[in-house]
Amino acid sequence: MADTKKAAAKAASEGAAALKVHHLRPAPGAKSAKIRVGRGEGGKRGKTAGRGTKGTKARYQVPEGFQGGTTPLHMRFPKLRGFKNPFKTEYQVVNLDWLATHYPQGGDVSIEDLVAKGAVRDGELVKVLGTGEIAVAVNVTANAFSASAKQKIEAAGGSATTA
């Protein structure tokens, strides 16, 4: 390192080009040549080339997950079966008992009202299901209704309108 500082100082005093990164070299003895294994018995690592003697690992590369010739674990387990329908419509559900507790006086209920009260997320389809009982007349507007929900709403004097 001292040599490079001296060279840099000398170059600066003479007005020559400054020291560049590509001028740097490793110190003598700092780097040793790569050992090329398996290149004849005369060399340092000829013959077995650091693999020991005999066995599968000495003869060829063995895959990391190799399990000695038995059926591998990832092939023994059952595969995922079935079919996922890409055209299935998924609804957010609201039950009648939820409507009865949040609208005790009845009135009009739209999807926007349900979003405002936190029953459903905005921008998704809503379906009203018939779990529970409702005694007040509510005029519900949703994307879908179950048959029992529609029947119970109309029996209470309300209406079920599909949006």
Side-chain angles (χ1 to χ4, degrees), residues 79-95:
K79 309 300 180 283
L80 291 174
R81 305 298 298 265
F83 168 75
K84 185 153 178 73
N85 186 0
F87 304 107
K88 178 182 178 185
T89 56
E90 292 196 16
Y91 293 100
Q92 297 183 85
V93 296
V94 176
N95 286 305

Side-chain angles (χ1 to χ4, degrees), residues 3 37 39 41 47 54 62 108 135 159:
D3 296 334
V37 299
R39 295 295 184 274
E41 291 186 33
K47 208 177 114 202
K54 299 186 182 175
V62 181
D108 294 333
S159 66

Side-chain angles (χ1 to χ4, degrees), residues 47-64 66:
K47 208 177 114 202
T48 55
R51 288 173 173 258
T53 55
K54 299 186 182 175
T56 313
K57 291 185 217 170
R59 294 190 169 94
Y60 195 69
Q61 294 172 338
V62 181
E64 193 176 320
F66 184 67

Side-chain angles (χ1 to χ4, degrees), residues 90-92 111-112 114-115 120-126 143:
E90 292 196 16
Y91 293 100
Q92 297 183 85
I111 296 173
E112 291 77 27
L114 295 173
V115 169
V120 293
R121 288 182 296 279
D122 193 18
E124 295 187 31
L125 301 175
V126 178
N143 299 106

Side-chain angles (χ1 to χ4, degrees), residues 68-149:
T70 60
T71 308
L73 200 63
H74 73 278
M75 292 176 74
R76 274 183 260 165
F77 282 128
K79 309 300 180 283
L80 291 174
R81 305 298 298 265
F83 168 75
K84 185 153 178 73
N85 186 0
F87 304 107
K88 178 182 178 185
T89 56
E90 292 196 16
Y91 293 100
Q92 297 183 85
V93 296
V94 176
N95 286 305
L96 285 182
D97 54 3
W98 190 93
L99 288 174
T101 56
H102 288 80
Y103 293 94
Q105 285 83 29
D108 294 333
V109 179
S110 66
I111 296 173
E112 291 77 27
D113 298 333
L114 295 173
V115 169
K117 291 221 177 193
V120 293
R121 288 182 296 279
D122 193 18
E124 295 187 31
L125 301 175
V126 178
K127 184 172 186 175
V128 179
L129 301 181
T131 304
E133 297 296 325
I134 191 158
V136 292
V138 286
N139 302 320
V140 185
T141 305
N143 299 106
F145 293 89
S146 68
S148 62

